[in-house]
Amino acid sequence: TGFSVYSAEETPVADTPSGTTSPGGGGSSGKSSSSAASGIISQIFPKRGIEISAEEIKVKLKQGEITTEKLTITNNNNKKTKISKENSRLKDFLIISDSDFDLNPGESKEISIDVIARKDTKPDLYLGFIVVKTDSEQKQILVAIEVQSLGALLDAKVEIQKDYLKVLPGDEILAEIILFNFGIAKKSDVNIEYIIKDLEGNEISKKSETIAVETQTNFLRRIRTPENAAYGKYFLYVKVVYNGEIASSSSEFEIVQYKVTTNEKVFISIIIILIIIMSALIIYHYTKKTEIKLKRKLDLKDLINRKN
């Protein structure tokens, strides 16, 4: 809310004998200067609000399994702050330590989050948020919990290709799917469902197919997004069903209003390079012209001096 006055004072340093080098050399001094500058900047423009160590928690469990995740919450306010946490849709899955506590200015606290998939939990992708609140702000941590069948003989992995992590409504996403066989004795047919879910857990698109699996199988699939999909983050949830047991995997992507294509990126890069080259040529030409004018003045001055 205001500026403080800072001052620097020169500290006398004993002379180093000639021909010797002080320990640490110039590198140490450079680091100290950089750290000091960073410290002053952070003091003049300090962070405010609460800071959380992670924006998302993604967990994959089988029925009956439990795991523990950690979050660190830091109070960057200049006053004592009361922190409270809640989760709405995932109450059956999450046990959060220290639901309410106070943090002094600059203080941090690590909290534990037990993620539980009970034995009777239906295999699916469950999405929700942990909300961290103070009197003046709140932040959400996205939580994605994938539950698989306890007796699943397969495992799956899905990865959306880099160029398809952001797409327009109605565009296709390209995903690589890998299936791992952990116990199917012979080549068998499995059913695969490709489901797009929004962050509320709603299915906005779904398609399925049957393929044959023997050992490890990997393939690419294109899945079209709905043309009326709202902008925001989504999950591609791949569910593999064999003998009533479910294995799964999921990957996150975003539907955006505008996407810069690879060709557009190349075109923009070329334009920037041309601008840099033209700027360099203009500067070079101006410098040369200035040097010529200066040389002429010097030559003229020298000539006048000679005549005198």
Side-chain angles (χ1 to χ4, degrees), residues 146-175:
E146 228 178 89
V147 180
Q148 301 187 112
S149 298
L150 179 61
L153 298 177
L154 290 167
D155 197 6
K157 179 183 178 183
V158 58
E159 183 177 351
I160 296 174
Q161 302 301 289
K162 185 178 178 181
D163 289 341
Y164 296 84
L165 292 173
K166 292 185 178 183
V167 295
L168 301 174
D171 281 358
E172 293 180 333
I173 53 175
L174 179 63

Side-chain angles (χ1 to χ4, degrees), residues 1 16 57 73 85 97 100 176 180 205 215 228 231 268 290:
T1 56
T16 303
I57 295 175
I73 301 174
K85 305 181 299 302
S97 67
D100 297 310
E176 181 182 17
F180 304 93
S205 173
T215 54
N228 60 349
Y231 306 130
I268 292 170
T290 304

